[in-house]
Amino acid sequence: MSSLQSTESRDERISRLRAEGRLVDRFGRVATDLRISLTDKCNLRCTYCMPAEGLPWLPKADLLTDAELVRLARIAVETLGVEEIRFTGGEPLLRPGLPQILQEITALTPRPQTALTTNALGLSKTARALKDAGLDRVNISLDTLDSQRFHDLTRRDRFADTIAGIEAAAEVGLTPVKINSVLMRGVNDDEAPELLRWCLERGYELRFIEQMPLDGGHVWDRQQMITAEEILHSLQEHFELTPDPAHRGAAPAETWLVNGGPIRVGVIGSVTRPFCGDCDRTRLTADGQVRNCLFAVEESDLRAPLRAGASDEEIAQRWRTAMFGKRAGHGIDDPSFLQPSRPMSAIGG
Ligand code: SAM
Ligand code: SF4
């Protein structure tokens, strides 16, 4: 950082970043991490995410085509300073064009880092092709090591497929393989140490995520939520955890070295330990809406201008405006908190 920059005030910094065309907000946060939802559909029905009957899916005509999606990603990378793109959903592996999308996005300059958040169903067959197409890393959701519990929790009998997908990801080098787990009281909250042991033995990095009020069935209950504190307590009964010297930065997970390292465990305390002040994310839904926060109630439509022939710069400007209005925090603990009308599966977790 130059001496000129180091003495600038927050307002001067924000003005400079705006002049540079970056995705800055009025609190000075800069979005460099883009999460793209590739579909709102899913082949599991995790109880904390979707009701058993599924949700009213987005109409096909509303979904961005692969070409539209790649164009928006290009604008984000080339014009707005996005450095990392994560594909999510719904279940992103259900999108047939994913390898081609990856190829086109990793051909951009500068090449963004690419990642996928997935339930890993079918990944055992596609991991190699995705790696070859430019995928760098994966986060795979696995909440239990018990196949019956997996069935109860996801309402599908697919435990073996998820495990095969995890193994394939590691085998082809989609590393570090990260495992995401959500614990629920009376369902799988006794499994934290077991999940960590399993990950340690295989060299996977485990991250627990506090259950958030984003489920399509509106079943979230603060009293029932397993807190970051409880998770840490249960792990500390079996492992020595020391705070990770690597700074947390914009990463949502607070991390600890397990038994002296090098493997870490992370806890994402979105509800009880919010990290909004360091957030560097911007989100694009499968139907082309920018969301400046997972919990935002407003969205900004990029699909309509895109289809009406807007220029790259016009679209970039809409995106900047959408991000500039980002709120300071999600306010889950605020009595006036409203759950967004879109569930997590349609926003992209
Ligand atoms: N289907 C993919 C998967 O499950 O990894 C990607 C989409 S899913 C919405 C992304 C992540 O959000 C998963 O790790 C999932 O466990 C998590 N998730 C879904 N609903 C959640 C909730 N209500 N609270 C916390 N995490 C949730
Ligand atoms: Fe599907 Fe992922 Fe939601 Fe589970 S968490 S229902 S795998 S979108």
Side-chain angles (χ1 to χ4, degrees):
M1 189 184 274
S2 73
S3 58
L4 176 72
Q5 286 171 16
S6 62
T7 58
E8 69 187 350
S9 68
R10 189 178 83 167
D11 287 351
E12 286 166 343
R13 178 171 169 274
I14 292 173
S15 301
R16 173 175 57 78
L17 289 162
R18 291 190 89 183
E20 289 169 8
R22 304 292 300 276
L23 291 176
V24 64
D25 68 33
R26 64 210 147 101
F27 302 101
R29 294 169 297 190
V30 184
T32 54
D33 179 352
L34 168 60
R35 315 229 143 188
I36 302 182
S37 172
L38 292 181
T39 174
D40 57 330
K41 290 191 179 151
C42 191
N43 37 18
L44 294 183
R45 294 285 182 277
C46 304
T47 52
Y48 52 75
C49 184
M50 275 194 204
E53 66 278 15
L55 291 162
W57 311 123
L58 292 167
K60 186 148 193 285
D62 288 1
L63 297 180
L64 295 176
T65 64
D66 290 359
E68 287 171 336
L69 197 146
V70 169
R71 180 173 171 211
L72 291 178
R74 179 176 57 72
I75 293 169
V77 169
E78 292 180 350
T79 309
L80 298 169
V82 161
E83 295 165 1
E84 168 159 357
I85 298 184
R86 174 174 295 274
F87 298 103
T88 176
E91 178 42 52
L93 291 176
L94 293 178
R95 178 109 181 192
L98 179 57
Q100 185 63 31
I101 291 171
L102 275 165
Q103 262 176 27
E104 293 186 35
I105 283 178
T106 49
L108 296 172
T109 310
R111 178 198 188 283
Q113 286 291 299
T114 57
L116 186 70
T117 301
T118 174
N119 62 28
L121 297 187
L123 188 59
S124 60
K125 294 188 201 74
T126 54
R128 168 64 61 196
L130 293 173
K131 171 81 179 162
D132 291 347
L135 183 61
D136 295 319
R137 289 188 308 280
V138 286
N139 283 50
I140 298 176
S141 304
L142 178 71
D143 306 314
T144 176
L145 294 167
D146 179 300
S147 63
Q148 183 56 49
R149 273 191 187 178
F150 184 96
H151 192 169
D152 295 342
L153 213 150
T154 64
R155 302 184 178 107
R156 299 287 186 273
D157 190 11
R158 307 292 300 272
F159 178 71
D161 295 327
T162 290
I163 299 296
I166 294 172
E167 288 170 357
E171 216 169 283
V172 305
L174 292 169
T175 47
V177 170
K178 291 190 181 171
I179 304 293
N180 291 354
S181 299
V182 176
L183 296 181
M184 284 176 294
R185 203 171 296 286
V187 178
N188 62 340
D189 56 333
D190 56 343
E191 277 197 70
E194 191 56 29
L195 280 161
L196 181 52
R197 199 165 295 118
W198 187 84
C199 286
L200 283 176
E201 284 166 10
R202 291 159 180 80
Y204 308 149
E205 208 171 303
L206 177 62
R207 299 134 57 92
F208 291 99
I209 309 175
E210 275 181 351
Q211 191 180 348
M212 295 180 268
L214 283 171
D215 55 300
H218 293 256
V219 298
W220 185 83
D221 173 358
R222 171 80 199 236
Q223 305 312 318
Q224 285 302 311
M225 185 187 77
I226 302 289
T227 64
E229 197 67 38
E230 287 177 89
I231 297 166
L232 285 169
H233 188 75
S234 126
L235 294 177
Q236 277 161 338
E237 286 180 6
H238 300 264
F239 303 94
E240 188 198 329
L241 301 186
T242 43
D244 183 359
H247 186 252
R248 173 174 173 177
E254 283 182 79
T255 51
W256 284 264
L257 296 177
V258 185
N259 295 339
I263 300 269
R264 303 175 169 84
V265 65
V267 179
I268 306 183
S270 317
V271 179
T272 63
R273 302 177 179 208
F275 40 88
C276 306
D278 291 319
C279 182
D280 66 351
R281 293 178 180 180
T282 181
R283 294 170 187 276
L284 184 65
T285 64
D287 56 345
Q289 313 296 306
V290 167
R291 296 178 61 91
N292 56 27
C293 172
L294 201 47
F295 295 92
V297 282
E298 307 92 20
E299 305 183 332
S300 303
D301 185 17
L302 297 187
R303 189 190 66 224
L306 190 87
R307 291 186 179 171
S311 67
D312 285 1
E313 186 45 38
E314 283 164 343
I315 289 169
Q317 194 47 42
R318 274 190 172 242
W319 206 323
R320 292 184 192 110
T321 305
M323 293 309 295
F324 196 68
K326 181 172 170 124
R327 292 189 199 178
H330 55 47
I332 294 176
D333 274 336
D334 197 296
S336 62
F337 174 77
L338 282 180
Q339 178 170 340
S341 50
R342 259 187 212 260
M344 176 83 124
S345 54
I347 296 170

